[in-house]
Amino acid sequence: LYFVTPELSTEVYLQVKARNTSSFPILASEAVNVYMDGSYITKTQLKDVSPSEEFTTFLGVDPALKVEHQQIQTELKQSGWTSKQSTSTAAYRTVVVNTKPVATNVTLVQLLPKSTDEKIKVELLAPTKDRVTEAGAGRDAEAQAAPAAKGSKGEAILQNKVTNNLVFHLHLEPSEKREIPFSYSVSWPKDKEMEVKDN
């Protein structure tokens, strides 16, 4: 599995999901050596894993998957008879390219702001709401490999109900280039001060 959050980094990380099939626990470690087909590939870290428990971990960056990410539009509008409402709109262009000779599944997370104030409204503009399924009970939902609602070839767009982020599960054929549209607006009373915090 591959994972990327382009607003934070355009590097695509290889992620493994596995199950402890032994009858012994795997103990937590900050220095786990990973081998594939008998060859050393990377060092990672693990938390405690009980017998039969599933776990995920990252195995480093795969340069064969390329991501371009840029903000293509930002706009601030005042509306209302005496400009009582402010609206900020942001649009991003994200392109994912699979240069690998095999089809690849990529989980891409776009950071969508979340309001804790009923006077501040966040509206998703693209993708449209009818293409998005609400899912996830926590931050781990963004790293889940199998989305709850799957479309063609396992593709889905989920919205994490805790963080509000959009999680795109993509299936990319060899040499496929895919553009992911993402835009939203934030509206608030002009006299209201906004404070932005990281998700």
Side-chain angles (χ1 to χ4, degrees):
L1 307 170
Y2 293 90
F3 189 89
V4 61
T5 306
E7 196 166 330
L8 303 179
S9 171
T10 56
E11 294 182 321
V12 181
Y13 290 85
L14 175 60
Q15 180 187 33
V16 64
K17 182 176 184 179
R19 181 183 300 276
N20 178 5
T21 58
S22 77
S23 56
F24 302 99
I26 298 173
L27 302 178
S29 175
E30 297 291 320
V32 178
N33 293 320
V34 180
Y35 293 83
M36 188 176 293
D37 296 328
S39 298
Y40 173 81
I41 57 169
T42 192
K43 186 172 282 199
T44 191
Q45 55 189 9
L46 284 178
K47 296 179 180 177
D48 287 328
V49 182
S50 300
S52 300
E53 183 181 359
E54 283 192 346
F55 63 96
T56 58
T57 189
F58 290 98
L59 302 181
V61 174
D62 189 334
L65 289 159
K66 307 199 180 295
V67 175
E68 298 170 17
H69 178 74
Q70 61 185 11
Q71 187 167 5
I72 55 175
Q73 180 186 0
T74 182
E75 184 178 14
L76 180 61
K77 288 183 180 178
Q78 308 288 329
S79 61
W81 179 249
T82 56
S83 295
K84 293 182 180 177
Q85 187 79 7
S86 297
T87 302
S88 175
T89 304
Y92 297 87
R93 180 178 179 268
T94 304
V95 177
V96 184
V97 183
N98 178 19
T99 66
K100 300 169 81 65
V102 295
T104 305
N105 293 321
V106 178
T107 297
L108 182 145
V109 176
Q110 296 283 27
L111 305 181
L112 181 64
K114 181 177 182 178
S115 173
T116 55
D117 186 323
E118 63 184 30
K119 293 181 180 178
I120 300 172
K121 306 289 183 195
V122 177
E123 182 182 358
L124 179 64
L125 303 175
T128 55
K129 270 294 205 187
D130 62 329
R131 297 187 55 214
V132 178
T133 303
E134 186 179 279
R139 293 180 181 270
D140 288 343
E142 289 162 10
Q144 287 175 355
K150 290 187 177 183
S152 162
K153 297 181 181 176
E155 292 201 339
I157 305 171
L158 308 177
Q159 185 168 11
N160 183 315
K161 63 184 178 184
V162 173
T163 65
N164 212 36
N165 295 335
L166 287 190
V167 182
F168 294 78
H169 291 281
L170 308 171
H171 178 83
L172 301 174
E173 294 297 333
S175 303
E176 182 178 352
K177 180 178 184 178
R178 180 92 59 93
E179 183 170 338
I180 310 297
F182 176 59
S183 62
Y184 61 86
S185 66
V186 181
S187 302
W188 68 96
K190 188 180 177 186
D191 59 348
K192 182 102 177 148
E193 285 190 25
M194 284 208 319
E195 181 182 352
V196 179
K197 296 180 180 178
D198 292 336
N199 283 340

